[in-house]
Amino acid sequence: VVEGGTLRLSYGEKDFTLAAVQIRKTLEITERRVHIYIGGDSTVSNYYPIEESEPAPGRFQTGWGQVFAQYTTDENVVTNMAGGGTFAKSWYEMAFPGVVQNGQAGDYFLVHAGINDRTYSSTDEMVEYLTKMIDECREKGIIVILTTAMQTPKFWKDSHGTELGEYGTPEGSGLAPFMEAIRTLAAEKQVFLVDVGKLTGEWYGKVGRTYVAHNYHIYNPETDTEEDTLHLSYHGALKVAEIVATELARQQAEGVTDGQGNTLDGLSFHDMVTYEVTYKDSTGAEVQTSVTAVQAIYERYGE
């Protein structure tokens, strides 16, 4: 928010995902909507627009934060600030100031961590910087929601690093301690938690590793190549965003509160719908199951 001053934008050599900047004046009489800020890494961030109206499963790298607004109504404004390669400390230093400078009491901050912390940091440092974000948000009345990392075919192992079969329930292997640290922090600080690691693990184990790798991640059907088993395809981003939105809607309906008495009532989701998913079970037989989740409503890119 710029009030009577100068706005300076710095564009670094690695900031290759910025597509446009729009500056507009907001009338004082305009009622401000509840904002949802999203922080995280490349599995959450925005990518170039997807121009196909019906992207094929396994194509178009997309972050789940990029499509999260498809599950919320116009009563919310979703701002995805996730950036590739970031972890809790680096994201706190680079992007988090924008949350506390622009956020207002009653806004929400949905933050994902763990994947890059495993490579560039540690569980202790991750918790240290997530704690800083929680405390600084609380000073402004911004409501924090922690999320654990999603499961992926790249880490299709249990929490001890043991390889799983096609239908084993993944727990993240080396990512497991980071997921557990976030669960513990959420309990200690009494903040909202969406345990994406647990929820995706349960669903992925049901439909199988092949289904997940070929639909939710980057897969080339022409060459039968799993090109990327960490980052999400367009359909994978939709699935993870659906899981996050549905879990938040569930907690909202149950009246869950955090340690300061905050609710999730400021979040506005589309209605729940039931749809059918077809996959193959461990015997190779096709199985159809019903899924009830928050509906995605949006205009297709290019329309």
Side-chain angles (χ1 to χ4, degrees):
V1 178
V2 181
E3 297 179 353
T6 300
L7 173 66
R8 176 175 295 174
L9 297 177
S10 298
Y11 193 81
E13 61 181 14
K14 295 183 179 180
D15 297 328
F16 55 85
T17 59
L18 179 63
V21 175
Q22 182 183 60
I23 300 174
R24 59 188 174 86
K25 184 176 181 179
T26 302
L27 299 175
E28 292 183 0
I29 60 173
T30 300
E31 183 177 353
R32 185 180 184 276
R33 293 175 288 171
V34 173
H35 284 52
I36 304 170
Y37 298 96
I38 302 177
D41 54 41
S42 58
T43 63
V44 188
S45 62
N46 292 343
Y47 296 88
Y48 292 108
I50 300 164
E51 296 179 353
E52 292 191 13
S53 61
E54 291 293 342
R59 308 311 296 165
F60 291 107
Q61 183 170 331
T62 309
W64 65 258
Q66 181 177 352
V67 298
F68 188 74
Q70 297 180 12
Y71 296 89
T72 62
T73 73
D74 290 341
E75 293 182 28
N76 292 147
V77 175
V78 178
T79 302
N80 185 23
M81 302 172 67
T86 58
F87 50 101
K89 181 177 185 293
S90 66
W91 201 90
Y92 171 83
E93 295 172 342
M94 293 188 296
F96 180 71
V99 176
V100 292
Q101 288 169 11
N102 292 284
Q104 297 185 18
D107 287 343
Y108 293 86
F109 175 45
L110 188 60
V111 57
H112 159 102
I115 292 177
N116 289 324
D117 298 87
R118 174 179 176 271
T119 303
Y120 304 117
S121 185
S122 64
T123 54
D124 289 343
E125 187 173 72
M126 179 189 71
V127 168
E128 176 188 352
Y129 281 89
L130 287 175
T131 300
K132 289 177 184 287
M133 291 186 238
I134 292 169
D135 291 343
E136 292 180 33
C137 280
R138 281 180 164 172
E139 288 179 6
K140 289 205 65 175
I142 299 170
I143 302 164
V144 176
I145 303 168
L146 296 180
T147 78
T148 54
M150 67 198 183
Q151 301 296 340
T152 76
K154 183 175 181 177
F155 299 102
W156 198 266
K157 302 176 181 179
D158 67 14
S159 61
H160 304 291
T162 303
E163 293 284 351
L164 299 172
E166 174 73 9
Y167 295 92
T169 300
E171 296 175 327
S173 187
L175 282 175
F178 292 85
M179 296 178 191
E180 191 58 34
I182 291 172
R183 295 177 186 119
T184 300
L185 176 63
E188 291 178 349
K189 297 293 288 185
Q190 294 183 292
V191 298
F192 292 108
L193 171 71
V194 178
D195 197 345
V196 180
K198 179 177 182 292
L199 295 171
T200 54
E202 291 171 350
W203 174 249
Y204 291 1
K206 185 175 184 178
V207 299
R209 184 195 179 283
T210 300
Y211 182 97
V212 174
H214 292 191
N215 290 275
Y216 298 157
H217 294 269
I218 312 303
Y219 169 72
N220 188 335
E222 295 181 0
T223 60
D224 191 23
T225 304
E226 295 179 0
E227 297 178 344
D228 188 335
T229 55
L230 175 64
H231 295 97
L232 294 164
S233 68
Y234 180 70
H235 287 269
L238 283 175
K239 185 60 185 181
V240 176
E242 173 194 281
I243 286 172
V244 174
T246 301
E247 173 61 14
L248 288 172
R250 182 193 67 79
Q251 293 186 29
Q252 181 187 70
E254 293 182 359
V256 176
T257 61
D258 67 8
Q260 296 192 320
N262 295 310
T263 71
L264 296 170
D265 291 346
L267 301 177
S268 181
F269 297 108
H270 295 303
D271 293 338
M272 293 278 191
V273 295
T274 300
Y275 64 92
E276 300 298 318
V277 176
T278 302
Y279 61 93
K280 292 183 179 180
D281 65 15
S282 58
T283 68
E286 285 196 348
V287 177
Q288 191 171 63
T289 188
S290 297
V291 175
T292 300
V294 173
Q295 183 180 18
I297 300 178
Y298 53 94
E299 292 182 2
R300 294 291 189 187
Y301 288 106
E303 292 185 357

